[in-house]
Amino acid sequence: AIPMKFDGEGGWGVCALQSKEEVGRSSYTKYEFALPDGNNVLPLSLGQQVSLCCLDNNDSVVQGDFFPYSSRHERGKFSLLLPKGADVEKNGELLGSDRANLARALTTDINEGDEVAIKLGKTHLEYRGQYLPVNEMVFLASGMGIVPVLEEIKAVLPTGSSSVELASVVWFDENVKNFDIADKQLEAEYKKYPSKLAVTCIDNELTKDNPDIEDSVPNFSPGIMAVVSGPTSFAQRAKRYLVDRGYPKDCICVLP
């Protein structure tokens, strides 16, 4: 594998849209992009986003930061997961306006074979708590917020890869069909590490009095790190929920 070079001005490189594909019965589309060389990999660290930038049909620059849907070790290509459709207002609630604009351009204006600029984005996974080592992780994800969570559990669960001994994933989506975007991958990880991974899918909102959530989110103890991933409104609710459950704020990492 050869790490892709980003030697354009401002650290940009180029990729090309290869395909658009619906994911299962979900309301999401997978966009696959080809890297310049079939052996290229994106040199991403865990929890790092990619920035994409292109011109839409009005010659406006649209740019957004995303967690790749594909593995960081994928060769020659990478993929993103985005809500179907070009409704910027509706998608803005899920993605924020910058990303929703880029999603609109990819849906309506960018065709297979078109080039898109890419550069490495910010890294967002960090633990600021005082209790080291981190031996347990709790992930609260909503909708496509599961995407970075998948990559993180794949990285921390293998024996010897980290100090993490237990991981709990609680994934919310009111549309059951949306669990198609990651249920097979989560199941595969569970089969590899049945004593280390617990997964709960909840087809409802995050509320205080839901016994399924109470049971799935462990009480805080030193050494637990919580990661929240999803739309802004969900992230605020999830953080408040964890604080109410006794989690110190510096042990909660909120992904954008």
Side-chain angles (χ1 to χ4, degrees):
I2 304 160
M4 179 175 164
K5 287 194 170 73
F6 294 87
D7 39 21
E9 199 178 322
W12 289 92
V14 168
C15 59
L17 180 64
Q18 209 169 13
S19 63
K20 307 177 185 185
E21 184 190 332
E22 296 189 354
V23 183
R25 304 161 303 159
S26 77
S27 55
Y28 293 96
T29 302
K30 173 180 154 183
Y31 292 83
E32 198 153 78
F33 298 86
L35 300 176
D37 183 299
N39 279 317
N40 277 161
V41 291
L42 292 175
L44 294 166
S45 54
L46 193 58
Q48 187 172 11
Q49 292 183 308
V50 289
S51 292
L52 265 69
C53 182
C54 61
L55 289 176
D56 68 9
N57 285 349
N58 302 321
D59 281 342
S60 300
V61 174
V62 286
Q63 184 178 339
D65 296 342
F66 302 88
F67 291 106
Y69 185 40
S70 47
S71 157
R72 286 180 298 150
H73 310 297
E74 180 99 56
R75 287 184 187 209
K77 59 185 181 184
F78 74 98
S79 62
L80 298 181
L81 186 74
L82 293 170
K84 281 182 197 167
D87 185 334
V88 173
E89 210 165 302
K90 189 173 139 209
N91 288 344
E93 290 170 23
L94 295 174
L95 298 169
S97 59
D98 285 354
R99 286 191 284 187
N101 262 321
L102 192 105
R104 171 190 55 80
L106 286 174
T107 304
T108 58
D109 304 355
I110 306 294
N111 300 313
E112 290 170 19
D114 287 353
E115 290 192 338
V116 175
I118 176 177
K119 74 173 178 177
L120 302 178
K122 291 191 174 108
T123 302
H124 295 281
L125 185 69
E126 60 170 338
Y127 174 74
R128 291 190 295 272
Q130 59 197 16
Y131 306 108
L132 291 168
V134 172
N135 51 29
E136 186 171 351
M137 293 186 78
V138 181
F139 297 93
L140 297 185
S142 171
M144 58 182 273
I146 197 67
V147 168
V149 171
L150 268 179
E151 192 66 10
E152 283 157 27
I153 57 174
K154 284 180 189 170
V156 301
L157 288 179
T159 307
S161 64
S162 76
S163 55
V164 176
E165 291 156 20
L166 273 180
S168 308
V169 175
V170 188
W171 182 19
F172 299 85
D173 202 308
E174 289 175 61
N175 177 356
V176 188
K177 293 175 181 171
N178 284 340
F179 292 127
D180 285 6
I181 62 177
D183 57 358
K184 287 191 177 67
Q185 295 98 309
L186 286 167
E187 192 178 343
E189 292 309 304
Y190 175 73
K191 282 181 174 158
K192 283 188 228 166
Y193 313 107
S195 61
K196 293 171 87 170
L197 177 63
V199 178
T200 311
C201 296
I202 294 178
D203 58 350
N204 218 317
E205 285 205 332
L206 168 57
T207 51
K208 269 189 189 158
D209 43 9
N210 183 329
D212 288 342
I213 304 172
E214 293 291 312
D215 293 346
S216 307
V217 177
N219 291 324
F220 179 77
S221 60
I224 294 189
M225 173 182 180
V227 177
V228 171
S229 180
T232 311
S233 57
F234 169 81
Q236 289 165 346
R237 253 198 335 271
K239 191 172 178 184
R240 209 161 40 233
Y241 173 82
L242 288 165
V243 169
D244 287 347
R245 286 281 305 269
Y247 281 69
K249 283 184 180 158
D250 58 5
C251 296
I252 304 169
C253 170
V254 178
L255 301 178

